[in-house]
Amino acid sequence: MTETPAVLIVNSASRRGQETFAQARDRLEELGVQLMAAHAVDDPSTLPQLVQETIDAGARTIVLGGGDGTVSSVAPQLCNTGVVLGLLPTGTANDLARTLGLPTDLMKACETVADGKAVDVDLGVVGDDRFLNVSSIGLAVGVTEMLNPKLKKRLGALAYPIAAAKAYRRFVPFSARLEFPDGDHPDLELDDLLQLAVANGRFYGGGAVVSPDAGIDDHLLDVYAIPRGTPRQRWQVARHFVSGAFTENDHVYHVTTQNVRVSTVPGQAVNVDGELSARTPVDFGIVRGGLRVIVPENATVGI
């Protein structure tokens, strides 16, 4: 795939970043990927600037090592540039890798960069920012607040259910208003909510499915809202949460759209691909084929 020189950028602050930078660089070169530069980045806040400088310098392929938050943080710089992204999943959840069908083994991920194909996938829009997987309001924000770096490094994906249990004990329900500027759905008032999510990708939260038909290449956002309801209703939702079949429950509101405005009472923080980087009220949209990414040759995802 990488016929032109590439730049390797690894978030060395991510869960496996420090130990994988040298391995990734050496393996990519062994596979014939010509690297014009390689960077191990200790401070994730500098990644957007580094990616922008790399694009401005003429790079057409960027191989990025990190988790979902790493990719999401540089999505605005990559959006609609035609620059090809090769992903080395070194984070905790790696939900984007699941969505794209990428291997999470570092050596195999390097092989995909060298031998895979480039496809276009959608990017979600939240305010002035971009996201890949899911933007969530409510319980997911509490989970993010409970997910400290030490817990993630020690337990990996097991940190998510532990954080979720802690967050639920402290959670206060909220109300939301959904407005659809395209007129494809009636505006809606929802009360006593546990969670509301707007999803671009298929997976989130360490492997949970957004909905059975969700995809990162379908040009649609999946919007769902879960009221608190009765203990029985909560159990019916929870038992199908990982498969995504909970969105088919009569208790859950679920639609697909390209644009939605969300306002809440009280105002809520928004978890954007694992980072609390927005706040309601906020507008959501989609950029069709906004990101070009390398996937395995046998992958079915992509435009």
Side-chain angles (χ1 to χ4, degrees):
M1 170 58 225
T2 50
E3 299 175 356
T4 59
V7 174
L8 172 65
I9 300 174
V10 174
N11 176 8
S12 55
S14 65
R15 185 167 178 249
R16 306 197 315 258
Q18 288 282 3
E19 64 190 71
T20 58
F21 171 67
Q23 293 175 324
R25 180 189 58 200
D26 294 346
R27 182 57 179 149
L28 288 169
E29 290 179 339
E30 287 175 3
L31 291 166
V33 177
Q34 183 182 351
L35 296 177
M36 55 189 292
H39 307 276
V41 179
D42 295 329
D43 181 359
S45 68
T46 66
L47 282 166
Q49 180 180 347
L50 177 58
V51 168
Q52 187 61 60
E53 291 172 351
T54 299
I55 294 171
D56 292 343
R60 305 312 299 161
T61 300
I62 294 177
V63 182
L64 185 65
D68 294 329
T70 298
V71 186
S72 185
S73 71
V74 301
Q77 285 71 39
L78 293 167
C79 182
N80 283 340
T81 61
V83 172
V84 179
L85 173 67
L87 178 59
L88 305 179
T90 62
T92 303
N94 295 318
D95 287 307
L96 178 60
R98 286 186 176 90
T99 294
L100 298 175
L102 297 174
T104 55
D105 175 81
L106 180 65
M107 297 296 103
K108 291 181 179 178
C110 289
E111 292 171 8
T112 297
V113 170
D115 302 326
K117 62 182 179 182
V119 300
D120 295 321
V121 298
D122 299 330
L123 282 174
V125 178
V126 51
D128 295 327
D129 209 347
R130 303 288 182 269
F131 69 99
L132 291 144
N133 298 324
V134 178
S135 293
S136 302
I137 299 164
L139 189 58
V141 171
V143 174
T144 298
E145 292 172 337
M146 296 293 172
L147 273 174
N148 63 72
K150 289 184 179 179
L151 185 67
K152 290 172 72 174
K153 284 192 175 182
R154 187 172 80 249
L155 299 178
L158 288 176
Y160 286 84
I162 293 173
K166 292 180 179 180
Y168 182 77
R169 289 197 292 268
R170 303 184 183 185
F171 183 71
V172 177
F174 63 100
S175 299
R177 177 174 174 79
L178 305 183
E179 300 173 78
F180 299 91
D182 297 338
D184 50 339
H185 303 287
D187 296 345
L188 185 67
E189 301 276 356
L190 298 165
D191 297 317
D192 201 33
L193 295 179
L194 284 176
Q195 181 155 305
L196 188 152
V198 180
N200 172 58
R202 180 169 177 79
F203 292 98
Y204 71 112
V209 178
V210 171
S211 77
D213 298 325
I216 200 170
D217 54 0
D218 61 2
H219 309 324
L220 292 170
L221 298 170
D222 280 77
V223 182
Y224 74 74
I226 304 174
R228 178 167 53 173
T230 65
R232 177 179 173 81
Q233 287 172 324
R234 290 196 294 274
W235 165 244
Q236 289 174 337
V237 169
R239 65 196 291 260
H240 295 297
F241 212 72
V242 173
S243 69
F246 72 96
T247 56
E248 300 172 351
N249 190 300
D250 291 339
H251 179 61
V252 176
Y253 174 79
H254 173 238
V255 296
T256 58
T257 188
Q258 293 187 3
N259 294 283
V260 60
R261 178 173 177 80
V262 178
S263 53
T264 64
V265 177
Q268 299 283 319
V270 183
N271 174 344
V272 182
D273 281 347
E275 304 293 332
L276 303 182
S277 60
R279 191 168 183 86
T280 59
V282 67
D283 295 304
F284 294 92
I286 199 162
V287 181
R288 294 187 172 204
L291 181 67
R292 192 157 181 79
V293 63
I294 302 172
V295 297
E297 277 291 344
N298 61 355
T300 57
V301 68
I303 305 160

